[in-house]
DNA sequence: AAAGTAACCTGCCCGC
DNA sequence: TGCGGGCAGGTTACTT
């Protein structure tokens, strides 16, 4: 599901709705989602009675800071989402089945971690505790510190296929398969091009499109492809789906030249290209 | 060092 | 209508 724009949307909504709230009770239905601490009981004990102080995003991870200085790290995997509801009765049987962690908040609200495919992960860490998943993350593509110069250097010192580089979370964070496809199409660059061999102009184009597309997708609150895919905290769809140019459009007409869009497979991921517009 | 493969899961969609 | 195969926005470990 979630790439930077989707995670950013969830983070903003969570910040709006639960900062200052206390977590009164925690119920764990699927312990394997919790990677740390190992014992569910400790997870529960350290969370109950705390208050949510701040919420941040780093790459595709959500960080929830508690007033005990412990913090939660959440990765939504492919299908993780949060539901904020008043009572469990409002959930369908299917939703109940996939509600793996339940946080009872004050004011009789319930925050649920829901995850059909169960690839999501949650850590509860002490203030000074670090995990490599976060430590090893690369640069934030929308950070104003991240200049074209930084980007260009990154391209030059790596020899991977440009699509792999864009999706490599140790180099640049937040870009997944949908946005990698969209960015490369917009920049007119074929996904298998070797990053250090791109021209200055191509690199500039790529940098511009990366920032344009990601920031527009954030404004549009992410992308929802199918009915069962990404939703925000309140169940709304992301509107960037209306702006997709190439992702999911095999055999469709290229929006630029009207030639058919071709599907190839790269690193086991579907990759959509217009061989006429992407060189 | 980089690319490929399989594994972790459930649900949906398509073709037969 | 039902079944099987393939696919899905991610990450990780292992092999080539």
């Amino acid at each position: 599901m979630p790439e930077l724009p989707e995670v950013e949307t969830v983070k903003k909504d969570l910040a709006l709705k639960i900062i200052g709230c206390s977590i009164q009770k925690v119920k764990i239905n699927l312990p394997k989602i919790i990677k740390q601490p190992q014992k569910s009981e400790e997870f529960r004990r350290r969370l109950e009675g705390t208050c949510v102080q701040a919420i941040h995003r780093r790459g595709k991870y959500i960080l929830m800071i508690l007033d005990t200085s412990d913090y939660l790290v959440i990765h939504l995997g492919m299908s993780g989402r949060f539901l904020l509801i008043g009572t469990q009765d409002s959930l369908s049987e299917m939703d109940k089945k996939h509600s793996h962690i339940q946080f009872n908040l004050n004011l009789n609200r319930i925050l649920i971690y829901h995850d059909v495919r169960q690839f999501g992960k949650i850590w509860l860490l002490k203030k000074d505790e670090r995990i490599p998943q976060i430590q090893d993350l690369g640069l934030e593509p929308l950070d104003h510190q991240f200049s074209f110069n930084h980007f260009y250097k990154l391209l030059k010192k790596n020899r991977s296929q440009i699509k792999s580089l864009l999706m490599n979370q140790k180099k640049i964070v937040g870009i997944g398969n949908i946005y990698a496809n969209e960015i490369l199409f917009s920049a007119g660059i074929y996904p298998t091009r070797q990053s250090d061999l791109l021209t200055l102009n191509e690199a500039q184009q790529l940098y511009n499109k990366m920032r344009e597309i990601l920031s527009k997708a954030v404004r549009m609150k992410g992308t929802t492809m199918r009915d069962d895919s990404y939703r925000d905290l309140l169940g709304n769809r992301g509107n960037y789906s209306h702006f997709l140019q190439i992702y999911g459009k095999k055999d469709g007409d290229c929006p630029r030249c009207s030639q058919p869009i071709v599907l190839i497979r790269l690193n086991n991921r579907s990759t959509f290209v217009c061989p006429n517009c992407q060189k």
Side-chain angles (χ1 to χ4, degrees), chain A residues 95-145:
Chain A
D95 279 339
K96 282 181 189 162
K97 177 178 171 189
H98 299 301
S99 293
H100 305 316
I101 320 275
Q102 175 177 323
F103 305 88
N104 287 20
L105 308 177
N106 57 332
L107 302 173
N108 291 320
R109 292 184 309 165
I110 306 175
L111 180 69
I112 285 172
Y113 179 73
H114 180 286
D115 191 348
V116 171
R117 295 181 66 185
Q118 309 174 12
F119 291 166
K121 297 171 180 168
I122 299 181
W123 297 258
L124 174 60
L125 303 176
K126 305 255 188 205
K127 183 180 183 183
D128 299 317
E129 222 174 336
R130 298 288 179 267
I131 51 173
Q133 283 86 343
I134 301 287
Q135 288 287 95
D136 298 344
L137 288 174
L139 304 163
E140 285 286 341
L142 294 181
D143 193 331
H144 64 281
Q145 308 276 342

Side-chain angles (χ1 to χ4, degrees), chain A residues 241-265:
Chain A
S241 23
H242 305 302
F243 298 92
L244 294 178
Q245 299 212 78
I246 196 159
Y247 182 83
K249 301 190 190 292
K250 175 179 188 257
D251 298 333
D253 300 337
C254 166
R256 193 185 295 157
C257 76
S258 303
Q259 296 283 103
I261 293 168
V262 174
L263 173 62
I264 62 174
R265 200 107 189 133

